């Protein structure tokens, strides 16, 4: 009769055959090629680096467009505020009022003023601490999430059809909404793109 026993170890494993009271040991060495291990490790490291860079790029892009109108408003107020008043909360509140009372404000800047004027004291506090404009907007956005939804219209004048095709339907609808245009009966992305191109003359019209 033949009895087969397997003994495993990390580097070699041994197969022992016991037959007729005679022990025959065969040793078989298994080695994973070292260069294969190194190659796999390098691939994994490279993949992690690529994913990290992609994540950072996406985060940077998102941050760059986040609260863009609010950030501009805060930057404009800061630039008009004398350095000697930069930490004076009442003076900051006055600067907010002075900015928001300007007759030549754009519609989106006016919308931000509509949100921040009632809470100008809450705006003045982080402002007085020297907090960056984006951080100020993010902070007040927690109490009024509509602040950071106000965005400038997408400039499509120089965009080709292939560039518009990269946008989502939601973004295309937003472009048309900024122009006061509704694409009735539009379903396919191509239809929204055609409507955008047909209403290009409305792109800079202030509603």
């Amino acid at each position: 009769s033949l009895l087969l026993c397997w003994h495993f170890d990390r580097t070699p494993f041994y197969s022992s055959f016991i037959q007729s009271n005679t022990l025959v040991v065969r040793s078989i060495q298994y080695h994973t090629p070292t260069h294969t291990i190194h190659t796999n490790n390098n691939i994994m490291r490279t993949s992690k680096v690529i994913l990290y860079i992609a994540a950072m790029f996406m985060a940077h892009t998102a941050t760059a467009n986040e609260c863009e109108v609010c950030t501009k408003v805060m930057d404009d107020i800061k630039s008009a505020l004398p350095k000697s008043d930069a930490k004076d909360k009442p003076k900051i509140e006055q600067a907010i009022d002075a900015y928001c009372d300007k007759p030549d404000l754009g519609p989106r800047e006016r919308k931000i003023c509509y949100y921040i004027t009632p809470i100008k004291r809450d705006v003045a506090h982080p402002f007085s601490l020297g907090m960056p404009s984006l951080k100020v907007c993010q902070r007040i956005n927690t109490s009024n999430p509509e602040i950071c939804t106000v965005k400038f219209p997408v400039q499509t004048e120089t965009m080709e059809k292939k560039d518009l095709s990269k946008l989502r339907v939601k973004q295309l609808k937003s472009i048309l909404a900024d122009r006061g245009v509704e694409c009735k009966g539009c379903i396919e992305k191509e239809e929204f793109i055609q409507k955008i191109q047909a209403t290009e003359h409305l792109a800079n019209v202030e509603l």
Side-chain angles (χ1 to χ4, degrees):
S1 61
L2 175 64
L3 175 62
L4 179 63
C5 300
W6 296 95
H7 303 281
F8 292 92
D9 198 355
R10 290 183 180 177
T11 305
F13 71 84
Y14 300 87
S15 59
S16 303
F17 298 85
I18 303 175
Q19 185 176 13
S20 303
N21 297 325
T22 303
L23 177 64
V24 179
V25 179
R26 295 180 180 177
S27 176
I28 304 175
Q29 298 286 340
Y30 279 85
H31 298 283
T32 301
T34 305
H35 67 85
T36 302
I37 296 175
H38 290 323
T39 301
N40 290 339
N41 287 340
N42 289 336
I43 291 174
M44 291 180 66
R45 291 195 190 98
T46 303
S47 300
K48 289 179 180 178
V49 171
I50 292 173
L51 289 172
Y52 176 76
I53 293 173
M56 291 296 292
F57 176 77
M58 292 175 66
H60 173 74
T61 303
T63 303
N65 296 327
E66 186 181 4
C67 308
E68 56 182 2
V69 180
C70 177
T71 300
K72 178 187 179 297
V73 169
M74 295 301 164
D75 286 340
D76 290 345
I77 294 172
K78 279 184 179 180
S79 63
L81 190 68
K83 290 185 178 180
S84 57
D85 297 338
K87 296 184 178 180
D88 190 323
K89 294 179 185 179
K91 292 290 181 65
I92 294 172
E93 291 180 32
Q94 291 175 13
I96 293 173
D97 286 334
Y99 176 85
C100 291
D101 287 340
K102 292 168 65 175
D104 58 343
L105 283 182
R108 288 161 185 81
E109 288 85 350
R110 283 199 299 270
K111 194 169 186 178
I112 292 297
C113 283
Y114 172 79
Y115 291 136
I116 67 173
T117 301
I119 58 169
K120 58 187 176 183
R121 183 169 298 178
D122 295 331
V123 177
H125 176 65
F127 215 99
S128 66
L129 299 176
M131 188 177 290
S133 297
L134 176 58
K135 294 295 183 182
V136 174
C137 291
Q138 289 172 334
R139 179 166 178 167
I140 61 178
N141 189 65
T142 57
S143 58
N144 189 344
E146 293 183 351
I147 289 175
C148 284
T149 63
V150 182
K151 298 184 181 296
F152 290 112
V154 178
Q155 300 299 320
T156 61
E157 295 90 338
T158 58
M159 293 180 69
E160 297 182 7
K161 185 175 180 180
K162 62 180 181 180
D163 298 319
L164 289 171
S165 298
K166 296 177 183 178
L167 300 178
R168 297 180 179 178
V169 171
K170 183 179 180 180
Q171 293 172 300
L172 298 175
K173 287 182 178 179
S174 178
I175 293 172
L176 291 172
D178 286 333
R179 299 176 183 180
V181 176
E182 184 181 355
C183 194
K184 293 182 178 179
C186 295
I187 299 176
E188 300 295 331
K189 179 184 283 189
E190 179 69 21
E191 295 173 314
F192 289 99
I193 292 174
Q194 289 176 356
K195 192 70 173 180
I196 287 173
Q197 293 177 322
T199 57
E200 198 64 63
H201 61 286
L202 299 174
N204 297 317
V205 176
E206 299 291 358
L207 301 178

